[in-house]
Amino acid sequence: MRFDTNEKFGIETAKRAESFRMPYLHSHNSYEIYFLENGHSSILIDGEIIDVTTNNIVLISPNVLHRYCGKYSHERTVIYFDDEFLDIYFTPYAKKAVTKIFQNKAMETPKSERGKISYLIEKLKKSGKDDLDGIFYILFELLASLKNCKRADPSPRYVNKSINKILDYINQNYQNIKNLDEIAANFYLTKEYMCNCFKKATGMTVIDYINSLKLQKAAQLLQNTKKPVTQVSLECGFNSSSYFCRVFKKAMSMTPKEYRKGIHTA
């Protein structure tokens, strides 16, 4: 599922109980800075599960599929900003330089930077929503501070070690995977064991994850090409265009044709 926002900048803080589950894999048109203030969380980003601990920062680029899948209580602050916001203040070269840090999915804040980063986040929380200039100066200082952080080890300590390998296999082959037995056999696992481990780690079924990848690809084709819906469904790995349309409508709350029409008339 994809969420786009008309807001150039946003910030929110939330406490999550152990029972909290994000029900879907999604993407949006914003950069996202996820700062874990306390507790522990796990995030599925672009086919990789990343453990997040207190004072760690997760960086998510626009249009990257992700989902919070941890089963632990935690408190986090999330900062959103889009390309349109950056374009107000940066040349293309400068924007590319300042967003290069998003090539890292997880950052560990050293003790020398934690106080400053927390201070800047608190300033952003108190900034007026319409004071884009003030927000920009604080955000720029925050991004500069993040460059002093070191890349965190994203290896999952609380997840079956084979899950990221399975995720990578699916990401590389989702358009051609015929059934779940094919995936399980590739890792010398039974289908039942693989499915149970996958659901426990990600909160999603294998089929739901595969369909999320297919739907993201379908949305790109519907937006950027004039290919018929039937051809789009086949290129994304759906054997039936009617099944594709049902899955697409369930996820997007509109048919593929309605989605394409809405994109081109927006």
Side-chain angles (χ1 to χ4, degrees):
M1 185 171 291
R2 177 180 173 83
F3 291 100
D4 287 341
T5 175
N6 293 323
E7 293 187 358
K8 296 180 177 65
F9 173 87
I11 184 169
E12 63 176 42
T13 298
K15 292 183 178 181
R16 301 300 194 191
E18 290 184 18
S19 58
F20 173 78
R21 299 289 184 277
M22 178 170 281
Y24 38 73
L25 199 63
H26 70 284
S27 66
H28 40 68
N29 61 338
S30 300
Y31 295 89
E32 180 176 331
I33 300 175
Y34 176 103
F35 180 66
L36 191 66
E37 298 183 42
N38 62 67
H40 169 252
S41 181
S42 295
I43 306 179
L44 172 59
I45 305 176
D46 199 21
E48 181 180 13
I49 296 176
I50 293 177
D51 276 331
V52 193
T53 56
T54 301
N55 292 314
N56 275 14
I57 291 175
V58 175
L59 303 170
I60 305 173
S61 296
N63 306 315
V64 170
L65 284 172
H66 58 283
R67 179 183 188 271
Y68 307 105
C69 54
K71 301 177 182 178
Y72 311 92
S73 59
H74 61 277
E75 181 175 1
R76 92 311 185 255
T77 294
V78 178
I79 299 168
Y80 306 92
F81 55 94
D82 63 12
D83 279 314
E84 187 177 345
F85 177 72
L86 295 178
D87 288 340
I88 297 173
Y89 301 97
F90 288 116
T91 64
Y93 177 82
K95 185 176 77 170
K96 183 178 180 181
V98 81
T99 57
K100 186 177 180 180
I101 193 173
F102 282 83
Q103 294 175 3
N104 302 304
K105 293 179 181 177
M107 305 290 286
E108 183 178 336
T109 57
K111 291 182 179 180
S112 60
E113 294 291 332
R114 289 175 189 171
K116 183 178 181 180
I117 289 173
S118 296
Y119 169 73
L120 292 171
I121 290 174
E122 288 302 315
K123 284 187 70 175
L124 284 172
K125 291 178 185 178
K126 296 175 182 177
S127 297
K129 187 176 181 180
D130 297 324
D131 182 17
L132 293 184
D133 289 346
I135 289 171
F136 165 73
Y137 291 121
I138 301 169
L139 181 62
F140 180 73
E141 193 171 356
L142 175 62
L143 290 171
S145 294
L146 293 183
K147 287 194 172 184
N148 295 324
C149 299
K150 65 177 182 178
R151 185 172 183 172
D153 178 10
S155 300
R157 290 164 289 175
Y158 304 91
V159 179
N160 186 306
K161 298 296 184 181
S162 63
I163 294 300
N164 273 343
K165 294 180 181 178
I166 293 172
L167 285 165
D168 184 62
Y169 177 83
I170 294 173
N171 282 9
Q172 298 298 322
N173 300 283
Y174 69 90
Q175 291 164 290
N176 300 311
I177 291 173
K178 301 301 181 185
N179 52 56
L180 298 180
D181 291 303
E182 172 189 335
I183 305 171
N186 194 70
F187 294 94
Y188 305 100
L189 302 171
T190 65
K191 180 175 70 175
E192 291 74 18
Y193 179 76
M194 178 195 71
C195 290
N196 287 337
C197 289
F198 192 95
K199 179 71 179 290
K200 183 178 180 180
T202 67
M204 305 176 67
T205 67
V206 179
I207 292 296
D208 284 343
Y209 181 73
I210 292 173
N211 282 342
S212 293
L213 297 179
K214 291 180 177 180
L215 291 175
Q216 183 191 43
K217 178 66 175 178
Q220 292 171 352
L221 291 175
L222 290 169
Q223 180 176 352
N224 299 319
T225 76
K226 295 182 179 180
K227 294 178 179 179
V229 170
T230 301
Q231 185 176 347
V232 169
S233 68
L234 290 174
E235 288 189 19
C236 294
F238 290 98
N239 294 325
S240 164
S241 61
S242 59
Y243 175 66
F244 163 64
C245 289
R246 289 199 304 272
V247 172
F248 192 97
K249 186 172 183 178
K250 182 179 179 180
M252 304 294 192
S253 300
M254 63 181 75
T255 67
K257 288 184 178 179
E258 290 169 342
Y259 178 84
R260 171 175 274 168
K261 183 177 179 181
I263 288 291
H264 291 157
T265 58

